[in-house]
Amino acid sequence: QAVQKLAAAQSPEAIPTLIQVLGFNNPGAAVAATEGLINLGEIAIAPLMKNLDDYNYGARAWALRVFAGIGDIRALDLLISAATTDFSLSVRRAATKGLGNIQLSSLPPEDIAPTQEKIFRTLCLTIQDGEWVVRYASIVALENLTQSLKAFNNNYLIPQIVEQLTLLSQKDDEIGVQTRAKLALTKIKQEV
Amino acid sequence: MTEANLTPEKAIANLLQKEDLGMRYYAAWWLGKFRVATDEAVNALIQALEDKEDRAPDGGFPLRRNAAKALGKLGFNRSVEPLIKCLDCDDYYVRESAAQALEMLNDTRAIAPLMKLLETAVDGEELTKYGKGTPLGKPHPHEPYEAIIEALGTLKAKNALNLIKPFLKHPIPKVAYGAARAMYQLTEEDSYGEILVTALQGKELQLRRSALMDLGAIGYTSSADAISATFAENSLKLIAMKGLLESAIAKETEEKDSIHPEAVKIMELMDSLL
């Protein structure tokens, strides 16, 4: 509860304490601290990145969730490597979801399409993950990537995304994953 | 011994030899873990259910416990009778592993023997002293009630309803949750699902986790909001929500091929937990 109050204060001075809380083995407190850091936004990115190497896996997972929630472009490479290689499925899950929320508007215009393509290629890998929850997160990320492609008028990747989602909606081992892919297809088609 | 240098043949040979007890114990676990679903593996594991060599300091039978668990995972009908015999074993943990394995095998032959283990615990609508108590110096009740009740719920043992209902008031919360879970599976009455929803607000993380898993297992779709709001790891919440999602998908929709609105709502909540 103390953490909830601190998180709600939305003060940059709370950042070091909130970061510390991510390392405690207390999921309730970590959820509150993560939300607090996400709400603080960009300002939380640099201090989190500075400490990342010293973190235990639990804390890394929460930090990745913060990066994923804020969607800062500085975290892109971290998210890509975590999404594809981390041994913890909760880290892969959070990083994958985050790839769909990266804010690209701060990039030079000529870098936007290549970055979107890089994200798409990564999601084509995570969509083959052995864990259903990572495949599920990949679908959500692809759906969000479609929004970003439309926003920058880079529609050329959308047919490939639709193709990937169609495949999952028919062939995934998990009925839940299939259904999420169906939902994503419905949303993408509605918006076209 | 590591996973890398063990093969199904080697593991079965390790399980059948008599000299190295540790190797047998590990082999039994390994065959279940890697789902070696062959006749040879099942034969060796069934044989291990009667082992007398491997004894724990408390008099228990560690090898039998592992063998029973493994047999549950391998899914062969002919393990049902040997596992039923294990319900009479002196070792509480062998009985617990056997009840869990019988749940996984989902064979109705297990219903009557499982019910028999509940009889001494129930008198009319109340639990007996025996049912509520623990054996002297032991950390567990007289019988593995949680495993037994959950198995009866999965086996759709409607005739066990009166035996299970008194356990809703069992002093061990996990046993009481198990009863709520089974009662929901047997009656589909929301009031039993709501008991588990209330449990999501419990003080202990362990118990909230337990309630989460129970709600996921019964696919109680009305608990979606409560699940996403409870204080626990998102990974566990997502597993529970997947259970809800599957049960919402199974509901009929007005238009063929459309997604049930409840399923859409559950997925929206799941998205925010990723």
Side-chain angles (χ1 to χ4, degrees), chain A residues 100-177:
Chain A
N101 300 335
I102 297 274
Q103 303 304 314
L104 302 171
S105 44
S106 63
L107 286 177
E110 69 273 19
D111 287 350
I112 288 178
T115 305
Q116 287 173 327
E117 175 128 13
K118 193 169 161 185
I119 293 171
F120 173 68
R121 298 279 159 237
T122 308
L123 294 174
C124 288
L125 294 175
T126 57
I127 215 152
Q128 301 168 37
D129 198 287
E131 297 289 344
W132 71 271
V133 78
V134 180
R135 301 198 299 279
Y136 186 105
S138 308
I139 295 168
V140 176
L142 282 170
E143 186 184 305
N144 291 332
L145 178 62
T146 313
Q147 302 268 3
S148 144
L149 290 166
K150 285 174 187 162
F152 292 98
N153 263 323
N154 292 334
N155 296 336
Y156 73 106
L157 279 174
I158 292 178
Q160 293 185 55
I161 291 180
V162 168
E163 194 187 324
Q164 292 279 347
L165 291 172
T166 308
L167 211 63
L168 276 171
S169 73
Q170 295 161 349
K171 296 245 162 82
D172 199 275
D173 289 343
E174 295 284 350
I175 183 76
V177 174

Side-chain angles (χ1 to χ4, degrees), chain A residues 3 17 31 57 59 82 87 93 99 101 105 109 138 165 181 183 187:
Chain A
V3 178
T17 315
V31 168
Y57 267 90
F87 91 91
R93 175 195 86 215
L99 286 172
N101 300 335
S105 44
S138 308
L165 291 172
L183 179 64
K187 286 190 186 174

Side-chain angles (χ1 to χ4, degrees), chain A residues 4 27-29 31 62 65 89-90 93-94 97 132-133 136-137 140 143 174-177 179-180 182-183 186-187, chain B residues 205 208-209 231-239 242 245-246 249 257 259 263-264 266-268 270-274:
Chain A
Q4 271 175 318
V31 168
W62 291 113
R65 259 182 77 79
L89 72 98
S90 59
R93 175 195 86 215
K97 160 92 181 299
W132 71 271
V133 78
Y136 186 105
V140 176
E143 186 184 305
E174 295 284 350
I175 183 76
V177 174
T179 308
R180 186 64 187 83
K182 251 188 229 169
L183 179 64
T186 317
K187 286 190 186 174
Chain B
L205 178 61
R208 294 197 300 272
R209 284 177 178 154
F231 282 106
E233 299 90 328
N234 284 9
S235 352
L236 287 187
K237 292 190 201 178
L238 282 162
I239 294 173
K242 178 169 168 269
L245 176 58
E246 285 165 4
I249 292 169
D257 262 359
I259 306 170
V264 174
I266 292 168
M267 287 189 277
E268 277 163 7
M270 286 173 81
D271 291 1
S272 66
L273 293 170
L274 293 167

Side-chain angles (χ1 to χ4, degrees), chain B residues 100-136:
Chain B
Q100 288 164 343
L102 287 166
E103 176 181 10
M104 295 177 84
L105 293 174
N106 210 351
D107 187 312
T108 49
R109 278 177 288 171
I111 291 178
L114 286 166
M115 283 173 64
K116 208 169 144 245
L117 290 182
L118 299 184
E119 279 167 6
T120 44
V122 175
D123 182 12
E125 290 177 18
E126 300 296 324
L127 286 175
T128 61
K129 223 173 161 183
Y130 181 87
K132 287 185 272 193
T134 52
L136 196 63

